[in-house]
Amino acid sequence: MEHLIRVSDEVQAALLEARAVVALETTLVAHGFPAPAGVEVGLASEAAVRAADAVPATIGILDGKIVVGLTGAELDRYTPDARKLGPRDLAVCAVQGAIGATTVGGTLAAAQAVGIRFMGTGGLGGVHRGFPTPPDVSADLGACARIPALIVSSGVKSLLDVGSTIELLETLGVPVLGYGVDTLPLFYAAEGGPPVSARVEDATEAARVADAHWRLGGNAILVGRPPDESLDVTDLIEEIVGESHERGIVGQAVTPYVLAALHERSDGETRRVNRDLIVANAGLAAEIAVAYAGL
Ligand code: PSU
Ligand code: MN
């Protein structure tokens, strides 16, 4: 696989010694924040993983290879012209030698290829509002159905149809765990989400559940961590999602469009909360990965 995947020395060593490794995505770096803010979020997430004694593995495609463990200089190349890569897009991007930023689903596909089982992100993708017109369901969910991994996020992105997404996660066999909470966080907002399938109190309990779930042949597990600072932007989301429909924005462009408009119209408030929750989720993913390595 060496012609296709390049694993950094640090990540390689950690994997060989069965130490804790946390995968981080590049779509939020390239498309989730206005440049260069995304790079800062990526680097701060790596620092949070290290602070919890785990090794960060930021993943993306560069120069014809899937890179697991991007350097800071490489991360600087993740600007908005990077392709957004779901699981189906990795092979094409590598063969065509383009720069590719992996989504949650794309990151999980690469992580699985090298044996990483933990990742942190902001919000999982899911069923878009208005389904079935258009019938847009994030490929993150397909990846969750197939790949054994634990993902820490602040729930699913609240620009989605959260209720339908939760139902689909149940159908796909994905446990939705609340981290010290009974309801799923709504991305920017800590409260008001649907009930989780179970609550866990600490990193060790989450790690033990993951271990048991995987031994039973289960695949992804979602751990919802509420944002420390909660923001109610329900009306703004409604307005912007409506606008995206009117403007005919579809497919992969929807999420970046809505996030960018929110960041702009909330005077940067969503951007700040989004940044902080991503970093905190990376840290928690690391704590759980460390607990798992110690089971
Ligand atoms: N979390 C964030 N910001 C983001 C994302 C997650 O805080 O931009 C990205 C992730 O890469 C996720 C993607 O996989 O949004 C979902 O995109 P889509 O709905 O097109 O599948
Ligand atoms: Mn989509």
Side-chain angles (χ1 to χ4, degrees), residues 84 126 128 136-139 251-252 255:
K84 180 175 164 181
H128 283 262
D136 187 354
V137 178
S138 174
Q252 287 194 325
T255 301

Side-chain angles (χ1 to χ4, degrees), residues 176-190:
V176 176
L177 308 181
Y179 193 73
V181 290
D182 297 310
T183 57
L184 188 68
L186 290 176
F187 197 46
Y188 304 117

Side-chain angles (χ1 to χ4, degrees), residues 116-187:
I116 300 174
R117 291 206 167 197
F118 296 87
M119 98 168 272
T121 189
L124 189 71
V127 181
H128 283 262
R129 293 188 190 186
F131 185 93
T133 46
D136 187 354
V137 178
S138 174
D140 287 355
L141 297 191
C144 283
R146 294 189 301 274
I147 298 171
L150 181 146
I151 304 136
V152 178
S153 73
S154 296
V156 299
K157 276 191 290 266
S158 48
L159 55 109
L160 302 169
D161 177 342
V162 176
S164 301
T165 304
I166 286 302
E167 289 296 337
L168 199 45
L169 285 166
E170 180 184 6
T171 306
L172 298 174
V174 179
V176 176
L177 308 181
Y179 193 73
V181 290
D182 297 310
T183 57
L184 188 68
L186 290 176
F187 197 46

Side-chain angles (χ1 to χ4, degrees), residues 76-97:
D76 281 336
R77 294 173 62 186
Y78 283 83
T79 54
D81 39 280
R83 285 189 196 174
K84 180 175 164 181
L85 308 181
R88 70 172 181 180
D89 307 311
L90 298 183
V92 177
C93 185
V95 168
Q96 295 180 343

